[in-house]
Amino acid sequence: AIAVRAHTVARGRLEDRVSGNGSFVPRTSITVVAQVSAEVEAVAVREGDQVEAGAVLVRLRDDDYVLARDKARAALESARRGVAQSLVTLRSQYRAAAANLADARLALERNRELIASKSISEDTLQRSQSAYDAAALNVDSLREQLNLRSGVPLAAEPQLEASRDAAVIEASPEVEQSLLAVRSAEDSIRKCTVVSPVAGTVTMVRPSVGDLAAASSPLA
């Protein structure tokens, strides 16, 4: 007799086992690099550690960048004071020029009356006319300088009040440039704390404490 084994047919999984040598590699691998150049101050992880996204991996010394930030902040305040002082000076000069123009106008009008009665010479009238023209040119020049500094059309009536000074100061090119320097230094300070962009397993830690990490060099 032939032995027969009976099985109920059902859907399942077929397995074929193979022996061999190889290595495991992650489906996703991220190399964290230094974004600034600085000395390694601390290494917070070791190979094999499990980390969450945002976990600190390496800390770099930020002394130089803190100093650069403080210098940039001082330059920013100096730029703000400089713009504020220039606004005050230009307004004062414009007021003085406008007063001088008013005096020159009165002198010219008076001399025109006197020339009609031949009480003064033509040279005197001409000098008063020249003084008036020079005063008018000075007023126009100072108006344009003040309006240019204030960020308004050159031919507009100048702003003689300080109500818009804060906005004018912050919009000035020198203040904007100094503010960018402050933000750049602050960004460099933040980059000295290197964190994990994702959750995962640390498979390699490159630097040791005291090493100099160059920008774009691998860290973990």
Side-chain angles (χ1 to χ4, degrees):
I2 299 175
V4 176
R5 289 181 299 170
H7 293 280
T8 301
V9 176
R11 291 183 178 273
R13 178 176 179 178
L14 297 178
E15 294 185 358
D16 188 9
R17 300 186 179 184
V18 179
S19 298
N21 297 324
S23 59
F24 289 102
V25 295
R27 291 179 178 176
T28 302
S29 178
I30 297 176
T31 300
V32 180
V33 300
Q35 294 182 292
V36 294
S37 297
E39 180 185 337
V40 176
E41 184 176 49
V43 179
V45 294
R46 295 179 297 178
E47 293 182 4
D49 285 353
Q50 298 285 331
V51 296
E52 298 296 328
V56 176
L57 303 177
V58 177
R59 293 188 187 277
L60 306 177
R61 293 185 66 88
D62 60 2
D63 307 47
D64 292 341
Y65 299 109
V66 169
L67 180 61
R69 180 203 59 192
D70 293 343
K71 288 182 177 179
R73 285 177 175 175
L76 174 60
E77 292 307 313
S78 178
R80 284 170 172 159
R81 287 193 299 270
V83 176
Q85 182 60 49
S86 68
L87 287 170
V88 172
T89 301
L90 286 171
R91 278 197 293 262
S92 175
Q93 291 175 345
Y94 178 81
R95 290 190 180 98
N100 186 43
L101 177 61
D103 292 341
R105 182 184 295 110
L106 290 176
L108 177 59
E109 291 173 352
R110 183 173 62 252
N111 286 342
R112 283 173 177 170
E113 294 174 356
L114 293 174
I115 197 67
S117 61
K118 300 186 182 302
S119 299
I120 60 172
S121 64
E122 287 288 343
D123 289 342
T124 301
L125 178 62
Q126 186 58 43
R127 285 195 297 271
S128 62
Q129 180 68 55
S130 297
Y132 173 79
D133 293 342
L137 286 174
N138 190 37
V139 167
D140 290 340
S141 175
L142 287 169
R143 178 192 296 113
E144 292 178 352
Q145 293 179 53
L146 179 56
N147 287 345
L148 182 64
R149 171 53 82 182
S150 301
V152 298
L154 298 183
E157 191 65 24
Q159 296 286 336
L160 298 179
E161 300 298 328
S163 56
R164 292 186 61 253
D165 279 9
V168 171
I169 291 170
E170 293 305 311
S172 64
E174 51 265 62
V175 169
E176 288 185 342
Q177 183 176 1
S178 298
L179 189 57
L180 286 175
V182 171
R183 290 172 178 169
S184 176
E186 290 175 343
D187 185 56
S188 295
I189 293 173
R190 285 192 295 270
K191 290 176 180 177
C192 286
T193 301
V194 183
V195 300
S196 175
V198 295
T201 303
V202 178
T203 59
M204 179 272 291
V205 179
R206 181 66 57 82
S208 300
V209 174
D211 290 350
L212 179 61
S216 300
S217 62
L219 297 179

